Amino acid sequence: MKIAFCCTDTKAEPWITGLRAALPDASVEVWLPGAPPADCAVVWAPPQQFLDEQPQLKALFNIGAGVDALMRRRLPPGALVVRLDDAGMSVQMAEYVCHAVIRHFREFDGYEADVKQGRWSYRKPRSRADCPVGVMGLGVLGERVARALRVFEFPVNGWSRSPRAVEGVRGFAGTAQFHDFLAASRVLVNLLPLTPDTQDLLNRDTLSRLQPGGYLINVARGAHLVENDLLALLDEGHLAGATLDVFRTEPLPAAHPFWTHPNITITPHTSARTLRDESIAQIAGKIRALERGEPMAGIVDPVRGY
Ligand code: NDP
Ligand code: OXD
């Protein structure tokens, strides 16, 4: 088995070492233009030239959960696209989202500001019943997040394409139930894949449907959010704030208003990092399954785009 490694913005050497250790019978090489044909590839946002030069590839193993960057490319005909499923990301996502929801709900930013000014003051406790959290996307990450939020006894709504039953979570599915889902939620967590159906889905119309004083947590992709619509709804007071991990342009440009907005907290696309060892183990297992002709999890449906 010949494996090509072609990952933009990723230090190749530790991946190559890890993949060679996990697959001792395989040849694993960093792709360079003009390299000989490989059987499969480990990729992250590879250049089009790589895909055009390797039309024989049987499978592309993406070193992230989101395949949007890959699905925008012209892919080798018949190649499977396989994403990471979990590989240590869901627990990180649950930590991140619970932290953001709790910080907002308990007004910890306000307490921190008070304390910095030497002020010992209390805020009125809020009722959890008034803080229903809507999770968009109940897949590998969204389901884990929804379950984690239930541990803190928040009312949780979940929205997916097809109906999903998650214990303790009120389920909504498809476009027919989208507006009801939004109207039932005050905090909105986005964990959808980026596809033609979900691009720009967080916009003035949809965010206005959240309960007043709404709060947005976007941990999926920047292109889900119409950024100026968020700013307008914050200025108008319909939304109380947002925690954003992903942006239309990354790194976030220096002059972008999100950097300094008092009600926006930003992090640099770090809510659930790809963990190299877990990912190598998962990809190696899938490559062995491919060699044996066995089924594997995480195959992307090219029509759905995720
Ligand atoms: P999954 O594919 O496991 O889950 C996707 C979920 O979204 C499913 O429940 C699916 O519905 C639902 N969905 C997809 N399209 C629609 C639609 N049009 N309408 C309603 N629901 C829809 O993905 P993961 O949970 O593994 O990952 C989600 C995303 O998180 C990734 O695509 C990536 O963009 C992002 N991510 C961000 C990271 C970060 O660090 N910020 C790290 C890792 C991932 P159904 O169940 O019916 O199929
Ligand atoms: C991913 C990401 O999709 O890191 O895995 O954003």
Side-chain angles (χ1 to χ4, degrees):
M1 170 77 76
K2 282 191 187 333
I3 303 168
F5 183 87
C6 184
C7 296
T8 307
D9 297 333
T10 307
K11 206 169 155 214
E13 190 270 329
W15 281 89
I16 297 288
T17 306
L19 285 163
R20 284 180 182 156
L23 295 163
D25 297 334
S27 136
V28 187
E29 299 294 341
V30 175
W31 173 78
L32 292 170
D39 300 300
C40 60
V42 175
V43 297
W44 180 254
Q48 187 62 52
Q49 183 185 357
F50 165 71
L51 300 164
D52 288 346
E53 279 190 16
Q54 300 275 329
Q56 75 298 327
L57 285 170
K58 289 194 202 59
L60 299 160
F61 294 92
N62 190 56
I63 64 165
V67 291
D68 43 289
L70 193 51
M71 300 311 275
R72 281 194 292 271
R73 303 277 197 266
R74 195 169 50 251
L75 298 177
L80 293 178
V81 172
V82 188
R83 69 191 198 88
L84 284 183
D85 60 315
D86 200 335
M89 281 191 273
S90 72
V91 66
Q92 298 177 67
M93 202 51 105
E95 283 165 354
Y96 183 101
V97 172
C98 288
H99 176 261
V101 171
I102 291 167
R103 200 184 61 223
H104 165 64
F105 175 67
R106 295 290 307 273
E107 301 188 76
F108 286 140
D109 285 350
Y111 278 111
E112 201 175 310
D114 289 349
V115 166
K116 281 200 176 123
Q117 299 203 359
R119 231 186 286 137
W120 180 277
S121 61
Y122 291 106
R123 283 149 200 270
K124 193 165 167 268
R126 292 169 164 179
S127 159
R128 225 164 276 270
D130 292 337
C131 191
V133 184
V135 181
M136 301 170 78
L138 284 180
V140 174
L141 303 183
E143 179 176 341
R144 178 78 181 249
V145 163
R147 287 188 191 281
L149 288 164
R150 286 298 298 142
V151 172
F152 294 102
E153 298 178 15
F154 289 101
V156 179
N157 304 313
W159 184 63
S160 46
R161 222 166 58 102
S162 50
R164 301 268 153 198
V166 181
E167 200 187 331
V169 174
R170 185 174 167 203
F172 297 80
T175 44
Q177 294 183 349
F178 187 39
H179 291 169
D180 289 345
F181 161 78
L182 293 169
S185 306
R186 198 179 305 276
V187 174
L188 187 66
V189 178
N190 177 33
L191 271 166
L192 292 171
L194 180 64
T195 67
D197 287 342
T198 65
Q199 171 144 354
D200 299 328
L201 197 57
L202 302 172
N203 57 43
R204 172 175 272 283
D205 174 58
T206 54
L207 295 174
S208 300
R209 292 174 189 275
L210 292 175
Q211 296 176 1
Y215 194 90
L216 172 67
I217 299 171
N218 188 18
V219 278
R221 285 293 182 262
H224 285 125
L225 173 65
V226 180
E227 295 181 339
N228 284 335
D229 288 1
L230 170 67
L231 290 168
L233 289 166
L234 289 169
D235 289 350
E236 291 161 22
H238 183 71
L239 294 184
T243 291
L244 307 174
D245 185 49
V246 288
F247 307 92
R248 291 190 98 94
T249 305
E250 295 181 4
L252 189 64
H256 198 290
F258 287 173
W259 282 103
T260 51
H261 196 291
N263 298 335
I264 295 180
T265 300
I266 63 167
T267 49
H269 197 144
T270 198
S271 50
R273 304 288 294 272
T274 292
L275 302 178
R276 195 170 51 232
D277 292 349
E278 283 85 339
S279 304
I280 287 172
Q282 185 175 106
I283 290 169
K286 289 179 177 183
I287 289 175
R288 284 192 289 267
L290 182 73
E291 281 182 308
R292 291 195 295 258
E294 290 170 1
M296 68 174 99
I299 296 178
V300 171
D301 177 336
V303 176
R304 291 187 327 187
Y306 71 97

